[in-house]
Amino acid sequence: MKVNYREIVQDVIMEHKNSPIDIFGIGAATGEYQYLSSLEESYIRTIRDIDNLWEKRSANRSILEIGSFLGIVSISLKKIGYNVNALDIPEFYQSPSLRSLYEKNDVPFTGLNLKKYELPYETNSFDAVIICEVMEHLNFNPLPVLKEINRILKKDGYIYIGMPNQSHIINRIKLLLGKSIHNPIDDFLKQLDKNRNMVVGIHWREYTLTESIQMIEEMGFQRTKSYYFAGERDTNIIMALIRTLLYIIPSFRPYQVLVGKKVHIATHNFWFTEASS
């Protein structure tokens, strides 16, 4: 059965306009809706990619989304017919309205700080794990997280990573001009302000696609697909032309996607200390 991914995503996003979440109760519901709308193309891409991992769709396929945030991907995949679990930081999980949204859509939702390095799921539990717009926000070594994802995936299960591309042309231009490619220092202040929702808004470390591939290969995965993409669609013809020219070289595009298949169990014996973790 052919699926209209755009229609499903738009319906799920619209639910946030009709029934605002406002995670931290600071009057940010409008901003949340605008943020989700700006990522519509990314959500559609993710759901389409996941739905095409296998030849046939099956309700028996279990998917975990790490960094599920306001639930667009998880809920959309649930509507398509997958068995979906969602996970995000405890600060988001504490929101009654967000928990209610997941419960309403029959998506089990868990709160966990990935820095604990232990995912609350059984070994060989999932057919796929989605981790989009997460890796760049981790202010600690990500390899143990990838090892845990390997553990909870079934044999031949997939890891699906979507995140910014560090080699984006804008970053290259900034470096040529002697400017930083990282968050401004003002964002450090915003992250520690309880009246803002910047708790996980900082990109502590972005990666090139080559680095991303190396990380998953070290953790027992084999790359099956990878590509760069540009993100939102341009309605302005001139801007669309400019972006086309800027992104004519794929690695100049701002985002990357990497899909890996679990080919063996990650066996690294990591040494955790106060300094390394």
Side-chain angles (χ1 to χ4, degrees):
M1 181 180 70
K2 188 174 182 179
V3 176
N4 189 327
Y5 302 108
R6 184 173 303 279
E7 184 178 284
I8 290 173
V9 168
Q10 289 176 341
D11 286 347
V12 177
I13 291 176
M14 186 57 64
E15 190 173 350
H16 284 271
K17 185 174 184 179
N18 298 331
S19 301
I21 299 300
D22 190 12
I23 291 180
F24 295 117
I26 58 174
T30 299
E32 290 172 357
Y33 172 72
Q34 292 172 343
Y35 175 76
L36 296 178
S37 297
S38 72
L39 290 176
E40 180 181 311
E41 293 301 317
S42 180
Y43 294 136
I44 293 169
R45 166 195 52 77
T46 298
I47 293 158
R48 180 187 296 114
D49 283 352
I50 293 296
D51 196 35
N52 285 286
L53 284 175
W54 306 278
E55 291 185 5
K56 294 182 179 180
R57 187 179 307 120
S58 171
N60 293 324
R61 296 201 189 279
S62 295
I63 297 173
L64 169 66
E65 183 187 11
I66 296 175
S68 57
F69 192 38
L70 292 169
I72 307 304
V73 170
S74 288
I75 294 170
S76 295
L77 287 171
K78 180 68 178 182
K79 290 180 180 295
I80 290 174
Y82 289 100
N83 177 17
V84 185
N85 281 255
L87 180 146
D88 216 311
I89 60 173
E91 289 81 358
F92 291 170
Y93 180 77
Q94 290 165 7
S95 167
S97 57
L98 185 58
R99 292 201 306 273
S100 177
L101 173 70
Y102 281 109
E103 183 176 354
K104 173 185 173 184
N105 287 279
D106 194 27
V107 175
F109 180 44
T110 302
L112 177 78
N113 189 327
L114 293 178
K115 196 169 185 176
K116 294 184 181 297
Y117 290 142
E118 292 183 4
L119 296 174
Y121 305 104
E122 297 293 328
T123 299
N124 304 323
S125 296
F126 296 99
D127 295 287
V129 173
I130 302 167
I131 180 165
C132 289
E133 310 302 324
V134 172
M135 296 284 286
E136 68 273 19
H137 296 287
L138 302 183
N139 60 354
F140 49 88
N141 194 319
L143 294 183
V145 175
L146 295 176
K147 181 182 177 183
E148 269 292 277
I149 291 174
N150 177 286
R151 178 185 66 80
I152 65 173
L153 276 171
K154 298 176 183 177
K155 183 179 182 294
D156 295 329
Y158 293 96
I159 182 172
Y160 183 94
I161 302 174
M163 60 180 166
N165 168 33
Q166 191 183 54
S167 62
H168 178 203
I169 189 171
I170 300 302
N171 284 349
R172 300 184 191 214
I173 292 172
K174 285 181 178 179
L175 288 172
L176 284 172
L177 295 176
K179 296 184 178 181
S180 173
I181 62 174
H182 301 293
N183 282 67
I185 300 303
D186 284 348
D187 283 353
F188 289 11
L189 294 169
K190 293 175 184 177
Q191 188 195 32
L192 299 173
D193 186 340
K194 68 177 182 180
N195 295 313
R196 295 178 179 268
N197 59 357
M198 274 280 292
V199 60
V200 288
I202 292 178
H203 289 195
W204 294 102
R205 170 72 154 88
E206 294 182 2
Y207 301 89
T208 65
L209 182 56
T210 300
E211 291 175 320
S212 303
I213 293 169
Q214 181 182 355
M215 284 194 294
I216 69 164
E217 288 180 343
E218 287 284 353
M219 293 301 108
F221 297 96
Q222 180 181 72
R223 173 180 58 165
T224 60
K225 182 178 182 180
S226 60
Y227 63 89
Y228 300 98
F229 69 100
E232 71 277 3
R233 294 187 300 174
D234 284 303
T235 55
N236 183 290
I237 296 177
I238 295 176
M239 287 303 299
L241 178 60
I242 291 174
R243 281 163 59 89
T244 298
L245 293 173
L246 279 177
Y247 301 151
I248 194 167
I249 298 176
S251 63
F252 282 6
R253 296 168 191 166
Y255 303 103
Q256 61 174 296
V257 166
L258 174 60
V259 184
K261 177 182 284 189
K262 177 179 175 178
V263 291
H264 61 79
I265 297 171
T267 57
H268 292 74
N269 184 19
F270 290 129
W271 178 44
F272 295 112
T273 70
E274 286 297 320
S276 68
S277 59

